[in-house]
């Protein structure tokens, strides 16, 4: 086999980690899954190794997975993810590379309220993932009851909490600063990111820096202030907001990527489900199409960039232990109801970017985003159309029945909560329901160890890699990070074949 020349080296400005490998000419890599992760993996491969053949298989008719836009009241609005973190480079860099640099925008407002004890109250300044650091601000917010508030500073005098290998966020936070902080501050924030429950989610996986800090710091308040200090956002301050959106919605990114990929020679096949993945002497065989008339594709390497359940099915033969671990990762389903109201029907003051609703309040809705206030481009479009645009999120881990409801029921439930929580009682001029079944992986206690075991299960198959929200973070930027690592891994696996000992332990290593 001949080594391929590293022509077209994208150089240091691409943001792609260099891997130094030179896959063989004529190599073909199949990427299963055309969400942001799969597209990013294909992008990395083609940028770093332009002569490799790359095919992306996407089961659904459209690319992008949880990124996509469609119209509500004549305005393009995101169906799923609507922002990227700006504190890590991958997603921002990717948007720039596919020509969306000038469309990157900072939210106009970033400060959310929490519905607590009968009304919306501002999330206190200085909190980090719902853990307070500024007790004056916490008291001023009136988010907590008096006994709950008095319990918080005991953190500083209580003996150290013993930490095992991992612990649930709820258990640690409750032990240090009291249950009410979990119920009224941490739950709504974790609900927003993971649609998960504080008592189930892993501290080590969801707040790794804070968890590490707590290994040698007795006080959670001190540890939180130390790790979050610089990054904490003062209420109302726009500068330093750690998120970015895209004019027209981040759901535009997959389209821009697809154009760039096709222009670089990548083959993209939508409506093409990878059903079976087999290891054969010459590499990999992927069965696509109907079982009655399957089409067989050949690949030298495969990147599986799907959610955990299809990934587990696909790798069951090649890496059974990893597949077993993957199959045990649970997910949460979410429905997003986007409502457009006539502007005159929304008279209630809506401060900030939205309202979070903790489970303890007993409502269906867990978050409301004031889209036209949060995004300047959307605000302008809404003003032109004479509407206000709100997005309501329903569904948490353990509530699969949410998606069993009809669109009409979901809109009715959203409107009911909107009336009860914010007093908005008008009839929407347009609505859209976006269903995300099994969308958010749950990083349960022990998740990081599980991911280590999954990656260990791939150690003898260096031309197979896994990437996506299941492993190192559910955010778009983290997904792109795993995509680059997976692409880097198979690049090395191809160049070094049949040597298997270089891969071990972590994604892309
Ligand atoms: C409602 C919602 C809002 C979110 N908001 C944000 C946000 O604002 N910011 C943020 O950073 N993150 C957000 N996230 C998280 C983030 O969007 C996702 O974690 C990320 O987009 C996942 O990307 P992915 O490509 O790994 O997976 P997916 O988007 O799930 O893509 C996987 C793709 O694989 C395809 N597929 C599955 N099986 C097969 C198969 N056998 N053959 C071929 N194709 C297959 C699927 O059809 C899908 O298109 C949000 C998530 C949700 C659900």
């Amino acid at each position: 086999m001949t080594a391929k020349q590293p022509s077209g080296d994208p150089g240091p400005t691409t943001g792609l980690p260099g891997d130094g490998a030179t896959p063989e000419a004529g190599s073909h890599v199949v990427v299963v899954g055309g969400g942001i992760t799969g597209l990013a993996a294909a992008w990395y491969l083609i940028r770093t190794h332009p002569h490799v053949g790359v095919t992306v298989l996407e089961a659904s008719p459209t690319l992008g997975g949880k990124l996509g836009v469609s119209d509500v009241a004549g305005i393009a609005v995101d169906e799923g993810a609507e922002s990227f973190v700006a504190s890590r480079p991958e997603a921002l860099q990717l948007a720039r590379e596919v020509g969306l640099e000038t469309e990157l925008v900072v939210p106009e407002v970033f400060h959310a309220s929490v519905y607590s004890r009968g009304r919306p109250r501002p999330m206190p300044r200085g909190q980090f993932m719902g853990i307070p650091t500024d007790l004056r601000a916490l008291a001023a917010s009136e988010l907590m009851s008096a006994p709950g508030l008095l319990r918080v500073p005991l953190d500083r005098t209580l003996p150290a909490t013993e930490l095992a290998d991992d612990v649930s966020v709820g258990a640690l936070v409750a032990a240090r600063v009291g249950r009410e902080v979990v119920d009224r501050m941490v739950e709504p924030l974790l609900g927003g990111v993971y649609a998960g429950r504080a008592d189930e989610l892993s501290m080590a996986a969801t707040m790794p820096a804070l968890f590490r800090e707590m290994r040698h710091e007795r006080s959670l308040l001190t540890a939180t202030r130390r790790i979050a200090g610089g990054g904490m956002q003062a209420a109302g301050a726009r500068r330093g907001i750690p998120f970015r959106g895209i004019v027209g919605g981040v759901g535009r990114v997959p389209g821009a990527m697809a154009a760039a990929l096709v222009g670089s020679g990548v083959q993209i096949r939508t409506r093409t489900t990878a059903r079976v993945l087999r290891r054969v002497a010459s590499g990999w065989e992927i069965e696509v199409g109907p079982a009655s008339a399957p089409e067989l594709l050949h690949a030298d390497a495969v990147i599986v960039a799907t959610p955990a359940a299809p990934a587990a099915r696909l790798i069951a033969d090649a890496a059974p232990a990893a597949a077993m671990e993957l199959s045990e990762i649970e997910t949460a389903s979410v429905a997003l109801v986007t409502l457009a109201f006539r502007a005159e029907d929304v008279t209630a003051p809506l401060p900030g970017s939205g309202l979070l609703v903790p489970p303890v309040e007993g409502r269906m809705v867990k978050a409301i985003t004031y889209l036209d206030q949060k995004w300047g481009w959307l605000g302008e479009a809404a003003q032109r159309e004479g509407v206000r645009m709100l997005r309501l999120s329903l569904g948490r881990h353990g509530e699969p029945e949410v998606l069993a409801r009809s669109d009409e029921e979901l809109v009715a439930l959203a409107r009911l909560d909107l009336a009860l929580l914010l007093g908005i009682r008008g009839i929407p001029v347009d609505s859209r329901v976006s269903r995300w079944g099994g969308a958010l992986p749950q990083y349960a206690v022990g998740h990081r160890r599980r991911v280590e075991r999954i990656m260990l299960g791939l150690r003898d198959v260096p031309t197979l890699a896994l990437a996506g929200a299941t492993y190192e973070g559910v955010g778009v930027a983290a997904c792109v990070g795993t995509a680059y690592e997976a692409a880097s891994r198979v690049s090395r696996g191809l160049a070094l074949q049949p040597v298997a000992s270089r891969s071990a332990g972590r994604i892309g290593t």
Side-chain angles (χ1 to χ4, degrees), residues 198-258:
D199 286 337
E200 295 166 3
L201 288 170
S202 149
M203 189 80 196
T206 62
M207 304 185 201
L210 184 54
F211 188 63
R212 276 195 302 275
E213 193 67 23
M214 282 302 284
R215 294 221 165 271
H216 47 84
E217 171 57 63
R218 190 166 48 92
S219 158
L220 181 65
L221 297 175
T222 306
T224 307
R225 179 171 299 141
R226 198 173 294 145
I227 68 119
M232 288 188 300
Q233 185 66 32
R238 188 158 177 250
R239 207 155 38 125
I241 290 178
F243 289 92
R244 296 291 179 274
I246 298 245
V247 174
V250 301
R252 289 177 58 205
V253 174
M257 289 188 72

Side-chain angles (χ1 to χ4, degrees), residues 115 218 224 380 458 481:
Y115 194 90
R218 190 166 48 92
T224 307
E380 286 166 21
L458 300 189

Side-chain angles (χ1 to χ4, degrees), residues 24-90:
E24 292 114 23
S27 293
H28 180 218
V29 180
V30 166
V31 178
V32 182
I36 190 69
T37 305
L39 296 174
W43 182 243
Y44 175 90
L45 280 167
I46 211 68
R47 295 293 306 270
T48 51
H49 305 293
H51 299 301
V52 166
V54 181
T55 303
V56 177
L57 306 177
E58 167 52 45
S60 76
T62 53
L63 294 169
K66 277 119 201 165
L67 269 65
V69 278
S70 67
D71 279 8
V72 181
I75 304 170
V77 185
D78 276 311
E79 292 254 11
E82 54 153 9
S83 62
F84 316 128
V85 288
S87 50
R88 45 185 296 171
E90 297 94 335

Side-chain angles (χ1 to χ4, degrees), residues 111-125 127 130 132 136-146 148-149 180-186 188-189 356 358 360-361:
H111 193 71
S113 302
V114 178
Y115 194 90
S116 184
R117 306 188 305 118
R119 66 178 177 82
R121 300 171 192 272
M123 187 56 110
R125 182 184 68 233
Q127 60 77 30
R136 275 173 206 265
L138 179 62
S141 75
E142 298 182 347
L143 220 151
M144 312 237 312
S145 69
L149 197 60
E180 211 173 319
V181 173
V182 177
D183 289 346
R184 301 209 168 265
M185 294 183 62
V186 175
L189 280 157
L356 301 171
V360 72
E361 290 293 330

